[in-house]
């Protein structure tokens, strides 16, 4: 059996915080919510839940993401794992789903909007590097995983057809 070593490294690209393991990076943001923002954000998250897979497929680099409202509804923890580097990931949100991101993050105090030149600095200001993080498939991008799923489905379809 192959020995697995922890190869999680801090991201040094553009001086951004975060950890990286193989092709996968993590981003964790802890930011203050506007007054009443927690309830509005919960409602927005409920409304968008049915469209999340379709929306994230447009970016095609998002492994997962979580929104956690805490500290008596005063702060948001946003955590995600994604393929590639920090700047490209943030750029993807700004070009592929700016309306969705602005709709969610507009509940944060002083969020300038993803199209703003200050957006990356805002995100970096509230970003914290995870103290620990594990990626089961550090060298498999989202697109690699999708390709593998298509291959397995095709193989299973072929096996099923041969048994008919």
């Amino acid at each position: 059996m192959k020995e697995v070593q922890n190869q999680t490294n801090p991201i040094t690209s553009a001086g951004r915080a975060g950890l990286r393991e193989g092709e996968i990076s993590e981003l964790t943001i802890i930011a203050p919510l506007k007054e009443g923002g927690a309830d509005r954000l919960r409602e927005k998250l409920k409304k968008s839940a049915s469209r999340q897979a379709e929306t994230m497929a447009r970016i095609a680099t998002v492994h997962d993401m979580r929104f956690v409202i805490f500290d008596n509804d005063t702060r948001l923890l946003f955590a995600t794992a994604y393929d590639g580097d920090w700047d490209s990931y943030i750029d993807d949100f700004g070009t592929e789903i700016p309306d969705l991101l602005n709709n969610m993050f507009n509940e944060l105090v002083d969020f300038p909007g993803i199209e703003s030149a200050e957006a990356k600095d805002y995100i970096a200001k509230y970003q914290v590097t995870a103290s620990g993080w594990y990626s089961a498939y550090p060298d498999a991008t989202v697109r690699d995983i999708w390709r593998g799923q298509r291959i397995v489905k095709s193989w299973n379809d072929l096996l099923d057809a041969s048994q008919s």
Side-chain angles (χ1 to χ4, degrees):
M1 184 188 297
K2 181 181 172 186
E3 181 181 328
V4 178
Q5 294 179 335
N6 183 348
Q7 297 182 6
T8 304
N9 297 309
I11 296 172
T12 56
S13 157
R16 304 298 187 187
L19 296 177
R20 184 175 188 136
E21 196 169 335
E23 297 294 321
I24 317 303
S25 302
E26 67 86 20
L27 169 69
T28 305
I29 298 168
I30 300 175
L33 286 160
K34 292 178 180 176
E35 184 73 32
D39 289 335
R40 290 188 300 271
L41 182 56
R42 282 187 190 98
E43 193 60 35
K44 291 175 183 184
L45 289 167
K46 280 182 202 172
K47 287 180 181 177
S48 70
S50 63
R51 299 182 319 270
Q52 284 179 357
E54 175 187 323
T55 302
M56 292 302 108
R58 293 200 323 240
I59 295 178
T61 59
V62 180
H63 287 259
D64 65 72
M65 59 190 216
R66 294 157 305 290
F67 293 83
V68 179
I69 297 167
F70 68 108
D71 276 354
N72 295 319
D73 289 355
T74 62
R75 295 198 297 165
L76 172 72
L77 180 144
F78 172 78
T80 185
Y82 60 94
D83 299 331
D85 68 37
W86 192 94
D87 284 295
S88 295
Y89 182 64
I90 304 304
D91 290 343
D92 285 347
F93 275 97
T95 57
E96 297 297 326
I97 57 168
D99 294 340
L100 176 68
L101 187 83
N102 283 333
N103 187 40
M104 300 299 177
F105 278 27
N106 277 343
E107 299 306 333
L108 299 176
V109 172
D110 297 327
F111 181 67
I114 195 64
E115 302 91 348
S116 168
E118 292 85 36
K120 287 183 179 180
D121 289 336
Y122 180 91
I123 293 166
K125 175 181 175 181
Y126 291 106
Q127 185 177 356
V128 295
T129 300
S131 299
W133 174 59
Y134 167 77
S135 176
Y137 307 101
D139 294 317
T141 66
V142 169
R143 291 180 193 275
D144 292 339
I145 294 165
W146 290 347
R147 184 179 309 111
Q149 289 175 324
R150 287 192 307 272
I151 291 168
V152 167
K153 182 186 180 317
S154 295
W155 178 251
N156 286 335
D157 291 347
L158 181 63
L159 290 175
D160 290 345
S162 72
Q163 294 175 358
S164 297

